[in-house]
Amino acid sequence: MSTSATTTPSGTARRRWWGRQPIGSLLALPYVVFVVAVFAYPLGFAVWIAFHDYFFTAPGVEVPKPFVGLDNFAAVLTDPQVLDAFRNIGVFLVINVPLTVVLSMVLATALDRGVRWAAAYRVAFYVPYLTASVSLVGVWLLLFSSRGLVNTVLGPLAPDPSWLVSSSLAMPTIALYVTWKQLGFYILLYLAALQNVPRELHESAETDGANAWQRFWAVTVPGVRTTTVLVLVLAIITGANLFTEPYLLTNGGGPDGASVTPVLLIYQRGIQQQNPDTAAAIGLLLVVVVGLLSLAANRITRER
């Protein structure tokens, strides 16, 4: 004689709430609280601020903060400084993202094929990523100052004004610095992806007479396509949130705002100038722009 277990309504509701493994849901609860407290709540509060005439007040002082609709966004979109900041980050991404993808893929392929001193190269590529930005910025300031090593080597070919004080060279120089600093992380991603590309494909292509470049283009590039999408998205998100490098290298976005980024402008408007409503509007616009760029990069890469 067999009996079938019945589920009470309270048990069904409990299972729907906690899932099939209540202990797993319980263990995940601290992380959910962390995400809500650190990401979800600040984002929701920023959205609320962006649609209100919000300003900081003394603790305990209640002042009306009326709803203003899209007024903050209209003010931001007609602000030349905001438009310049987005144009600056566009210049940065145009330089940084292609360099990051190409260099990290090529260098990872070279390391995967067993070049001499491969272990030393891996450490050398990864050390800048682990090193604090403040110390690296100090080195780059010495290298690219008007009397730095780079200008000394270039001699009469050195730009005047120098790299970080030139309106046209400041952001490209920052893009090169960030590419160099972040390269080790993306090389590791590609190295992990290359381990999953079957060696038989390379051997078969070599047997068919393909040279090294043809094998790279026909076997390696398609084999790491998923990682390329990840690198593209991460590079776009990281570059769009640029703050530390222009703040330290160009003394807060100089010269004449040529290296101001949206995140740096959010800090200036929200903290220094006490205008959190317009700062929140800039932040939401940045979220939308980064989301659209990431989706476009994902779709284009997968289609190709």
Side-chain angles (χ1 to χ4, degrees):
M1 178 178 177
S2 61
T3 60
S4 59
T6 60
T7 304
T8 63
S10 60
T12 302
R14 191 181 305 111
R15 176 173 295 182
R16 186 182 302 112
W17 178 257
W18 289 103
R20 294 183 178 275
Q21 299 294 334
I23 188 64
S25 301
L26 184 64
L27 292 174
L29 186 60
Y31 182 72
V32 173
V33 174
F34 171 79
V35 170
V36 171
V38 177
F39 295 102
Y41 173 75
L43 180 60
F45 189 46
V47 173
W48 187 89
I49 291 176
F51 289 95
H52 290 76
D53 183 14
Y54 190 91
F55 51 91
F56 296 119
T57 58
V61 178
E62 294 293 335
V63 179
K65 300 177 177 64
F67 177 78
V68 295
L70 298 175
D71 289 354
N72 290 328
F73 293 94
V76 164
L77 291 173
T78 56
D79 189 337
Q81 192 175 13
V82 175
L83 300 179
D84 288 343
F86 277 93
R87 186 179 67 249
N88 292 339
I89 206 65
V91 172
F92 174 88
L93 292 176
V94 167
I95 298 172
N96 171 258
V97 174
L99 279 178
T100 297
V101 174
V102 173
L103 290 178
S104 56
M105 185 187 299
V106 171
L107 292 174
T109 303
L111 292 175
D112 184 64
R113 292 181 179 178
V115 297
R116 294 187 62 185
W117 309 101
Y121 284 129
R122 293 186 186 189
V123 174
F125 289 139
Y126 200 63
V127 164
Y129 178 75
L130 297 177
T131 306
S133 295
V134 176
S135 57
L136 293 179
V137 163
V139 175
W140 272 66
L141 286 174
L142 292 175
L143 289 174
F144 287 91
S145 63
S146 57
R147 298 182 179 179
L149 178 62
V150 175
N151 285 355
T152 302
V153 172
L154 292 177
L157 299 177
D160 186 23
S162 191
W163 306 91
L164 294 171
V165 294
S166 170
S167 299
S168 59
L169 294 177
M171 187 54 75
T173 304
I174 294 174
L176 293 176
Y177 166 79
V178 174
T179 302
W180 167 75
K181 187 180 187 304
Q182 302 286 339
L183 202 59
F185 172 71
Y186 298 115
I187 288 175
L188 287 183
L189 292 181
Y190 273 118
L191 280 172
L194 288 170
Q195 305 303 314
N196 296 322
V197 179
R199 298 292 178 183
E200 293 80 5
L201 295 178
H202 289 280
E203 295 172 357
S204 176
E206 187 175 4
T207 302
D208 292 338
N211 55 34
W213 166 251
Q214 291 171 332
R215 293 197 304 273
F216 173 78
W217 189 252
V219 178
T220 302
V221 173
V224 297
R225 181 178 58 185
T226 304
T227 302
T228 300
V229 175
L230 176 63
V231 171
L232 274 173
V233 173
L234 289 178
I236 290 172
I237 294 174
T238 303
N241 287 278
L242 194 66
F243 173 82
T244 305
E245 289 77 11
Y247 184 79
L248 296 176
L249 284 171
T250 60
N251 195 23
D256 297 328
S259 60
V260 171
T261 63
V263 175
L264 183 56
L265 196 59
I266 291 171
Y267 166 74
Q268 293 173 346
R269 296 288 179 87
I271 304 300
Q272 294 180 339
Q273 301 175 15
Q274 300 290 302
N275 292 315
D277 46 5
T278 56
I282 297 172
L284 292 183
L285 288 177
L286 181 62
V287 170
V288 172
V289 171
V290 171
L292 293 176
L293 289 176
S294 300
L295 288 175
N298 188 358
R299 183 171 181 177
I300 292 172
T301 305
R302 289 189 181 278
E303 288 178 352
R304 291 186 176 181

